[in-house]
Amino acid sequence: MASRKIFISGYAKLPKGITATELYSVIAVGLLVNRSTGEILEGDCSLVTNTAKNFFRNIVIGENLNNVEAIEKIFNESYYGSARKAIISALKTCHEKYKQAIEGVETEEIE
C-alpha cells in the first residue's frame, strides 16, 4: 500500500546577481504532499533569508499541487524577489513529479 504522504522536490536555475545564486546556483523546493488530494502539507526552499523562506511556506502550505496555476498566480501577485521565476519553475517541476507519482500508484493498484 502506498504512503499517504509523499516528498517531492524541484530545482531551477537562479538568476545571476542575487545572494542565493552565489551560494547555490539553483533553487531547491521541497514539498510534503498528500498523495490522494495534492494538498501541500509542508514546504521549504533554499532561499537565503528566513523571511523569504517563511513567505514561501506561507504561500504554499495548504495550497493544492493539482492547481499549480493558482500557486503561480499568488507568487506573481505577491512575491517581488529576484528568484520569482525560478521558484515558479521549481514548483512546476514538483507538479510534474506529483502527476507522475500518482499515475504510478494508480497503475500499481490496477495490476
Side-chain angles (χ1 to χ4, degrees):
M1 179 174 201
S3 173
R4 186 177 65 83
K5 297 175 185 176
I6 57 175
F7 177 81
I8 299 173
S9 62
Y11 301 88
K13 188 172 180 159
L14 287 162
K16 293 183 180 184
I18 65 172
T19 305
T21 304
E22 299 302 318
L23 296 172
Y24 306 116
S25 77
V26 296
I27 188 165
V29 166
L31 303 174
L32 184 63
V33 180
N34 180 312
R35 180 189 297 270
S36 56
T37 66
E39 179 186 1
I40 299 171
L41 306 170
E42 292 183 37
D44 204 357
C45 65
S46 61
L47 292 170
V48 175
T49 67
N50 287 333
T51 303
K53 289 178 184 182
N54 289 334
F55 187 80
F56 173 85
R57 285 185 199 103
N58 288 334
I59 288 177
V60 300
I61 294 173
E63 292 295 327
N64 195 303
L65 205 48
N66 286 310
N67 195 359
V68 72
E69 296 84 9
I71 302 170
E72 179 179 1
K73 184 177 184 212
I74 295 168
F75 273 99
N76 280 326
E77 292 175 350
S78 62
Y79 183 88
Y80 290 90
S82 299
R84 177 173 49 198
K85 287 183 182 180
I87 292 169
I88 292 169
S89 179
L91 285 167
K92 287 180 176 180
T93 299
C94 289
H95 170 71
E96 290 302 317
K97 288 183 177 181
Y98 172 71
K99 288 193 320 188
Q100 292 171 1
I102 61 172
E103 287 170 4
V105 168
E106 289 170 1
T107 303
E108 290 173 14
E109 291 174 356
I110 292 170
E111 295 174 356

